[in-house]
């Protein structure tokens, strides 16, 4: 694998969690069990630690490569780029953050959408990229997701969205917020059309993405131990001023609470998705 | 504005209102003198100064100070507006699944000539109520209660009127366990296809997803000194500036384009409802009257549309929001 997957958003982190980056070089240390692992063997294992089954974060390109039949991904809207409608400046201008993220990832924004085949079934796929400004949802992410949903409806194809996001993108403020309503409304239409939407939650899926399309799947799958929530753990801790229970907001916790259909290891995601498609007859 | 009204509400003064408070003290001091009649001219000019100063301050309010006004402890709340706007309010409790969240009030009510379903955030008036309401931060059962009542309204053809006033949905263990994100997400989806008119008014704080969870409507208004944004200025400052203080709060509030005027300019809302000089808390009845008039006008217009047309137009309203470019 030529690119460097699993790298974190360089200048911001998800609340309360340390920056995670897969170090360069032949060897790397597992974030979870601290084993020294041969880099290529981890990559060959779908970026899952062979020792402890820790699922490393992967970027959109790697995810697409892992999930889809070879060479089958045919993208939509690859040249759609954020426009900075509010001329947002914090400690640095939003435009600079966009440029840096585009340079780092080689893509225009934090989601890739298109058609592909998964074990021979044609689907509309959207894959969020946490390495692009924390997978945050601004206008481009919202528009590409909404477009993908509409395409799934028009072409009568199953829709699969692989989520990885810190939430709505602050630098587009109201525009980001409105993308939540826009994507949810598009899913309402898709639902009326009888479409199948499989939402896959990966580490991390929080904030405005969870509170819109991510939790609206006809089926919701999650990768083991993925952080999934509305508020980030640090915000909750600051609000309630007590320690959070073990495993709180992890995929298994959400399954116990009744909000996820199945926790699925990465190695089984392809067969899981194709089996669901067959069961629903889509 | 009567003298009595503003005096009743000066027990809490916002920092930027200090010059007005100074003038009010001078006025009071003069008024309390035995020979106050001798200072009639002076009093009159002080009162005129006070009025013009207040107007000037509120005309040039910074975004951060607008947030402060939106959070003013005396600012009228959902329950106040129900009292002032609504006849024959019949509160309906509970989500039929888990409980009854007092942070969202819902029920039947008549507004002007119309029977409606009224739903809104409640921050709480007394300390006890504030704690029960988590200061306007609703739990999933609150959002599910709201949706349940909206569906009831849909079934019987009643328009839905929502009042939005929340710093955000509650971030806590129980809220996460019971699916805060799912509850809001479902509200967004179901509101977008509800076959009855939905009219929304942001009366104070429009904090992110917690606000939007009652905010997917056909017509949306903001009171002049309310705010609506993806995150609070403090939350934004903490993440992007990595420090929360007066300066970064000001900067974040500026950057977030959160005022009613900003939201109107970007097409997220339809109308800015003017507030009395010095904010709704200085003359709640005037604020209520303008809200009521607007709601009645919107309901009158929206009732003319077929449900399918309403839903289609609502979809298009949100579908077109976005700022992208091709490169």
């Amino acid at each position: 694998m030529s690119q460097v997957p699993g790298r974190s958003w360089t200048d911001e982190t998800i609340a309360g969690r340390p920056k995670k980056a897969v170090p360069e070089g032949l060897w790397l240390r597992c974030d979870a069990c601290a084993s020294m692992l041969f880099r290529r063997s981890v990559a060959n294992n779908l970026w899952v630690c062979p020792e402890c089954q820790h699922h490393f974060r992967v970027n959109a390109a790697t995810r697409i490569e892992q999930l889809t039949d070879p060479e089958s991904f045919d993208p939509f809207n690859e040249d759609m780029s954020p426009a900075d409608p509010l001329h947002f400046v914090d400690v640095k201008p939003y435009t600079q953050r966009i440029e840096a993220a585009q340079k780092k990832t080689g893509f225009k924004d934090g989601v890739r959408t298109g058609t592909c085949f998964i074990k021979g079934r044609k689907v509309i796929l959207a894959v969020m990229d946490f390495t692009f400004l924390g997978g945050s949802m601004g206008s481009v992410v919202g528009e590409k997701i909404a477009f993908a949903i509409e395409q799934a409806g028009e072409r009568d194809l199953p829709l699969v969205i692989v989520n990885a996001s810190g939430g709505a993108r602050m630098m587009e403020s109201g525009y980001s917020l409105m993308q939540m309503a826009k994507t949810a409304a598009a899913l309402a239409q898709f639902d009326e059309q009888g479409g199948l939407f499989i939402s896959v939650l990966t580490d991390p899926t929080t904030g405005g993405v969870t509170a819109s399309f991510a939790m609206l799947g006809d089926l919701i799958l999650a990768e083991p131990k993925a952080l999934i929530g509305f508020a980030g753990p640090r915000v909750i801790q600051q609000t309630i001023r007590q320690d959070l229970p073990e495993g709180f907001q992890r995929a298994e916790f959400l399954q116990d609470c009744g909000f996820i259909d199945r926790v699925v290891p990465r190695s089984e995601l392809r067969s899981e998705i194709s089996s669901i498609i067959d069961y629903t007859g889509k | 504005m009567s003298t009595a009204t503003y005096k009743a509400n000066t027990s809490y003064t916002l920092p930027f209102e200090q010059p007005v408070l100074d003038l009010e003290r001078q006025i009071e001091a003069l008024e309390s003198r035995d020979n106050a009649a001798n200072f009639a001219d002076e009093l009159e000019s002080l009162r005129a100064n006070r009025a013009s100063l207040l107007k000037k301050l509120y005309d040039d309010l910074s975004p951060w100070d607008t947030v402060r006004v939106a959070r003013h402890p005396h600012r009228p709340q959902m329950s106040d507006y129900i009292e002032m706007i609504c006849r024959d309010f019949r509160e309906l409790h509970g989500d039929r699944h888990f409980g009854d969240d007092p942070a969202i009030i819902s029920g039947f009510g008549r507004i002007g000539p119309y029977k409606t379903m009224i739903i809104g955030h409640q921050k709480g008036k007394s300390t006890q109520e504030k704690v029960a309401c988590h200061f306007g931060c609703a739990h999933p059962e609150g959002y599910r209660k709201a949706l349940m009542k909206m569906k009831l309204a849909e079934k019987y053809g009643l328009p839905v009127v929502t009042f939005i006033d929340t710093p955000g949905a509650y971030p806590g263990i129980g809220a996460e366990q019971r699916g805060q994100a799912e509850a809001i997400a479902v509200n967004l989806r179901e509101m977008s296809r509800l076959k009855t008119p939905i009219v929304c008014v942001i009366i104070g704080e429009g904090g992110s997803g917690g606000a939007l969870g009652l905010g997917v409507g056909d017509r949306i208004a903001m009171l002049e000194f309310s705010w609506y944004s993806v995150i609070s200025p403090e939350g934004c400052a903490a993440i992007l500036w990595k420090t929360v203080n007066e300066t970064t709060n000001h900067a974040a509030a500026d950057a977030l384009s959160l005022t009613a005027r900003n939201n109107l300019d970007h097409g997220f809302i339809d109308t800015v409802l003017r507030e009395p000089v010095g904010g709704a808390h200085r003359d709640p009845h005037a604020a209520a009257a303008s809200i009521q008039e607007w709601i009645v006008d919107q309901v009158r217009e929206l009732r003319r549309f077929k449900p399918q047309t309403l839903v289609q137009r609502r979809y298009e309203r949100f579908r077109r929001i976005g700022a992208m470019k091709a490169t």
Side-chain angles (χ1 to χ4, degrees), chain A residues 81 150 173 182 191-192, chain B residues 193 256 315 319 321 325:
Chain A
S81 193
E150 287 172 340
S173 193
K182 171 163 131 181
D191 181 50
E192 306 270 332
Chain B
R193 60 175 164 187
L256 285 169
Y315 180 76
R319 181 64 186 86
I321 297 177
K325 59 182 186 192

Side-chain angles (χ1 to χ4, degrees), chain A residues 157-236:
Chain A
L157 290 173
L159 169 72
V160 177
I161 301 180
V162 182
N163 301 282
S165 173
R169 187 174 296 169
M170 281 173 287
M171 300 78 140
E172 293 186 30
S173 193
Y175 284 92
S176 304
L177 186 63
M178 295 303 145
Q179 303 310 307
M180 293 170 63
K182 171 163 131 181
T183 52
L187 284 171
Q189 279 205 346
F190 187 51
D191 181 50
E192 306 270 332
Q193 293 160 338
L196 167 65
F197 167 32
I198 303 171
S199 181
V200 182
L201 313 181
T202 74
D203 188 59
T205 302
T206 60
V209 166
T210 324
S212 58
F213 55 86
M215 290 308 277
L216 293 176
D218 296 296
L219 285 109
I220 305 180
L221 311 178
E223 286 197 332
K225 303 227 169 85
L227 177 79
I228 301 157
F230 174 68
R234 197 181 53 184
V235 172
I236 296 173

Side-chain angles (χ1 to χ4, degrees), chain B residues 102-280:
Chain B
I104 289 183
I105 296 178
S106 57
F108 292 122
R110 288 172 192 269
I111 301 180
Y114 301 116
K115 294 181 284 187
T116 68
M117 179 64 76
I118 305 173
I119 301 166
H121 298 100
Q122 173 73 3
K123 289 183 158 181
K125 310 282 283 185
S126 65
T127 307
Q128 200 183 4
E129 196 199 357
K130 281 177 191 160
V131 171
C133 293
H134 295 97
F135 299 84
C137 298
H139 277 69
E141 50 273 24
Y143 289 101
R144 294 190 182 117
K145 164 163 89 172
L147 182 57
M148 197 121 211
K149 309 315 171 198
M150 287 184 213
K151 298 251 184 184
L152 190 67
E154 179 186 44
K155 184 172 178 187
Y156 299 107
L158 300 180
V160 172
V161 177
T162 70
F163 284 77
I164 293 163
D165 189 12
T166 180
Y170 190 75
I173 293 176
E176 296 288 326
Q177 280 172 328
R178 301 196 290 277
Q180 186 71 282
E182 192 263 2
I184 291 172
V186 168
N187 276 24
L188 305 184
R189 183 184 66 197
E190 297 307 316
M191 287 182 84
S192 81
R193 60 175 164 187
L194 201 77
K195 294 191 184 68
T196 195
I198 304 176
V199 175
C200 312
V201 190
I202 296 155
I203 56 173
E205 299 193 78
S208 196
L212 189 64
L214 298 184
V216 181
D218 301 302
R219 299 285 160 79
I220 305 164
M222 285 177 74
L223 282 187
E224 191 179 359
F225 305 121
S226 59
W227 68 270
Y228 191 22
S229 148
V230 74
I231 191 169
S232 69
E234 297 95 324
C236 179
I239 297 170
L240 292 181
W241 277 265
K242 309 203 193 299
T243 166
V244 181
N245 56 41
E246 189 65 11
T247 315
T248 58
N249 285 342
H250 263 289
D254 281 345
L256 285 169
S257 292
L258 47 66
T259 66
R261 182 74 226 178
N262 295 149
N263 276 279
L264 181 70
D265 289 345
H266 292 289
F268 308 147
I269 63 164
D270 305 294
T271 312
V272 178
L273 298 174
R274 291 296 298 270
E275 289 188 36
V277 175

Side-chain angles (χ1 to χ4, degrees), chain A residues 236-276:
Chain A
I236 296 173
Q237 215 156 14
Q238 282 167 354
T239 307
I240 62 173
R241 294 176 200 285
Q242 55 183 358
D243 289 338
L244 301 174
E246 179 77 22
F248 180 62
Q249 294 186 314
R250 297 290 160 183
E252 296 74 11
F253 170 90
L254 267 92
Q255 185 176 280
D256 287 347
C257 291
F259 288 101
I260 282 176
D261 291 289
R262 286 169 74 80
V263 176
V264 179
R266 195 170 288 166
S267 57
E268 294 169 24
L269 216 42
R270 272 167 60 80
S271 64
E272 194 77 23
I273 290 170
S274 51
S275 157
I276 290 167

Side-chain angles (χ1 to χ4, degrees), chain A residues 7 37 43 46 62 64 88 102 105 145 148 175 196 211 233-234 249 269 279:
Chain A
R7 303 206 58 186
L37 305 167
L46 302 173
T62 309
I64 290 167
F88 194 98
Q102 288 177 338
T105 61
I145 295 275
Y175 284 92
L196 167 65
R234 197 181 53 184
Q249 294 186 314
L269 216 42
Y279 265 110

